[in-house]
Amino acid sequence: MSDYDVIIIGGGPGGYLAAERLGHAGKKVLLAERESLGGTCLNVGCIPTKSLLNSAKLYRHALDGARFGVTATNVEFDWTTVQSWKAEVVKTLVGGVGIAEKRAGVEVVKAHANLVRPGVVEIGGAEKTADHVIVATGSEPVMPPIPGAKDNPKVVDSTGLLAVAEVPARLAVIGGGVIGVEFASLFAAFGSQVEVIEMLPEIVPFMDDEVAAQLRAGIEGVTFRLGCKVERIDGSNVVYTDRDGQEQTAPADLVLMAVGRRPVLQGWGAQEAGLDFTPRGLKTDEYCRTNLPGVWAVGDVTGKSLLAHAAYRMADIVAAHILDPQAATASGQRFRSHTVPWAVYSMPEAAGVGLTEAEAKAAGHNVTCATVPLVLSGRFVAENGLKAPGAVKLVADSQTRAVLGIHMLGPYAPETIWGAAGILESEFTVDDLRQVVFPHPTVSEGIREAAWAVRD
């Protein structure tokens, strides 16, 4: 008889949610986390970043309120207090995860875990057995071998930038993905002179190019250098080759390395236990099963989607299949990567789900698209005016009229995009979507307007 029903390696979103689901269902669960519950997202990722962004947005709203009839004087920000608020939020939420695990009856140990073989995990020097093992080791920032970057105190990753003692006067950001764009927008709002150096022709590579260009144009105070290759870092200055092949320099006081994240595949026994993986992540099927019996994987370590909400979904799928495989299969509990939404919490915000126009064409669809400005929304105009950036783009198949993707730019986009994900999950056509009643006045009405803008 095994010591536990389930042992989970890693206490990030996928790990702790799977533990809760299984614990509440009566399973005996051991959750091993070597650092803090909540993983990257809660401790040094999405939550602290959003806390800082909230302060930045409040600051900018106070400065820019005059046109709405609200004038504030002597508007200032206190970076120490901003950081204290971030720390308070993180502490509160980490504590909440611990309480939730306790209520679910989950045994939590702060220790390194090592997968020995299927059903056997070494924790703190002792071997524990379980009927099922869930791997949720997460991801880590990529630090490319750029000359001058290693051991340079002026070069930080996202974790380091979250902890800076003061707002840098000049910030250079290497990488125009979600992390780079959010931090660029954040520090520009607080007054930093920001340059983003991106190798690709557009920022946020999984965004639709049309919407990404509008996002880039809408972020104030940031200079974007696209199609540029970083050659080296001299102190805190970034030397790069521009798209014309000319060497340029981005002077800075601090450099953020934001070229992406990679799954944590080393140091916990993946290779030794015989798991099948590539540098992109552990190989799993649509039910999150690995090649080893009774060993599952969720979250960033799979490489399928490095987003906390994707990890949540995977956790639900694994828990369902462990508890009742037949019922889980019959109810369609499987991971669909194409319906996982993404969000960028910059100023302005953006979100999307499904295929971009380019991806849809590459997949062989006969594509029809419609892009509408959010000034069609009464609430958008009332709260932002006519010049603020905002749009919704809908991508569909012109023959089947299936909705393939929805991409949004503007306020509340991350709060609205779940509905678009539901549209793709339910395999709506444009005509199905036209029958959905949207509340008025809301920014979400932009989705309806986009559906009606698609050519019949």
Side-chain angles (χ1 to χ4, degrees):
M1 182 176 179
S2 300
D3 299 322
Y4 297 90
D5 294 314
V6 184
I7 293 177
I8 302 174
I9 304 175
Y16 73 69
L17 187 64
E20 285 181 48
R21 296 284 189 262
L22 293 163
H24 281 302
K27 295 295 184 182
K28 186 179 181 182
V29 181
L30 173 64
L31 173 61
E33 168 56 53
R34 64 183 180 182
E35 296 179 359
S36 299
L37 286 175
T40 294
C41 175
L42 184 46
N43 291 278
V44 291
C46 41
I47 298 303
T49 306
K50 305 312 167 282
S51 300
L52 297 182
L53 278 163
N54 176 66
S55 296
K57 290 173 183 178
L58 287 173
Y59 177 60
R60 295 309 308 180
H61 288 328
L63 290 175
D64 302 333
R67 66 181 177 137
F68 301 108
V70 180
T71 302
T73 58
N74 300 319
V75 178
E76 298 177 339
F77 70 89
D78 185 310
W79 184 248
T80 300
T81 304
V82 170
Q83 287 282 41
S84 295
W85 170 246
K86 177 202 72 176
E88 181 182 342
V89 170
V90 171
K91 181 180 179 181
T92 300
L93 295 179
V94 170
V97 173
I99 292 171
E101 299 304 318
K102 186 175 181 179
R103 287 176 177 169
V106 175
E107 180 182 344
V108 178
V109 294
K110 187 173 184 178
H112 177 75
N114 191 69
L115 180 64
V116 179
R117 57 183 179 276
V120 181
V121 180
E122 181 185 357
I123 302 174
E127 289 191 354
K128 306 290 185 179
T129 59
D131 297 331
H132 299 272
V133 176
I134 302 175
V135 177
T137 54
S139 63
E140 60 189 359
V142 173
M143 188 64 73
I146 296 173
K150 187 176 181 181
D151 299 325
N152 185 339
K154 296 296 184 179
V155 179
V156 297
D157 59 16
S158 56
T159 301
L161 190 56
L162 282 169
V164 292
E166 60 184 10
V167 174
R170 300 173 301 174
L171 176 67
V173 179
I174 301 176
V178 173
I179 295 172
V181 167
E182 287 189 354
F183 274 113
S185 180
L186 163 66
F187 282 95
F190 280 129
S192 293
Q193 178 183 319
V194 182
E195 282 193 65
V196 175
I197 301 99
E198 169 58 50
M199 181 180 294
L200 297 176
E202 191 52 88
I203 62 171
V204 193
F206 51 77
M207 286 183 69
D208 186 273
D209 285 344
E210 180 184 0
V211 182
Q214 293 184 48
L215 170 63
R216 175 167 48 82
I219 299 177
E220 297 181 359
V222 178
T223 301
F224 291 92
R225 310 295 187 187
L226 304 180
C228 298
K229 180 184 178 183
V230 175
E231 302 293 346
R232 64 185 183 277
I233 300 174
D234 291 338
S236 60
N237 300 323
V238 179
V239 180
Y240 64 92
T241 302
D242 65 20
R243 63 178 66 189
D244 297 320
Q246 301 298 310
E247 188 171 277
Q248 307 287 350
T249 299
D253 301 299
L254 196 65
V255 178
L256 169 63
M257 192 69 74
V259 297
R261 299 181 64 86
R262 61 187 174 201
V264 175
L265 299 167
Q266 304 297 324
W268 52 267
Q271 183 173 356
E272 294 81 358
L275 281 169
D276 192 4
F277 64 91
T278 71
R280 297 178 63 88
L282 291 182
K283 291 185 178 181
T284 57
D285 63 12
E286 61 185 347
Y287 306 115
C288 303
R289 297 178 299 198
T290 70
N291 62 301
L292 298 181
V295 180
W296 313 72
V298 300
D300 290 7
V301 72
T302 69
K304 289 185 174 180
S305 177
L306 275 65
L307 298 168
H309 46 277
Y312 282 149
R313 178 63 188 133
M314 293 181 199
D316 282 336
I317 292 167
V318 171
H321 281 276
I322 288 175
L323 294 171
D324 191 335
Q326 284 189 318
T329 301
S331 62
Q333 291 282 357
R334 59 190 178 88
F335 186 70
R336 306 170 183 85
S337 58
H338 74 285
T339 63
V340 175
W342 53 264
V344 184
Y345 297 85
S346 52
M347 292 172 270
E349 297 180 340
V353 63
L355 299 178
T356 65
E357 180 179 357
E359 289 171 340
K361 290 178 178 178
H365 292 280
N366 293 309
V367 177
T368 182
C369 299
T371 303
V372 298
L374 278 183
V375 291
L376 295 175
S377 160
R379 184 179 183 187
F380 177 85
V381 174
E383 296 183 358
N384 300 275
L386 293 172
K387 295 182 179 180
V392 176
K393 181 172 183 176
L394 188 146
V395 181
D397 187 295
S398 61
Q399 292 181 320
T400 66
R401 296 182 66 76
V403 177
L404 303 176
I406 295 176
H407 311 273
M408 303 183 68
L409 171 68
Y412 319 116
E415 297 291 340
T416 303
I417 203 64
W418 71 269
I423 289 166
L424 265 66
E425 283 277 2
S426 301
E427 300 180 348
F428 272 27
T429 65
V430 171
D431 304 294
D432 294 328
L433 179 53
R434 287 176 176 177
Q435 298 182 54
V436 175
V437 178
F438 289 81
H440 176 78
T442 63
V443 174
S444 67
E445 289 177 284
I447 296 176
R448 181 196 64 199
E449 296 293 341
W452 280 101
V454 173
R455 294 191 302 271
D456 290 329

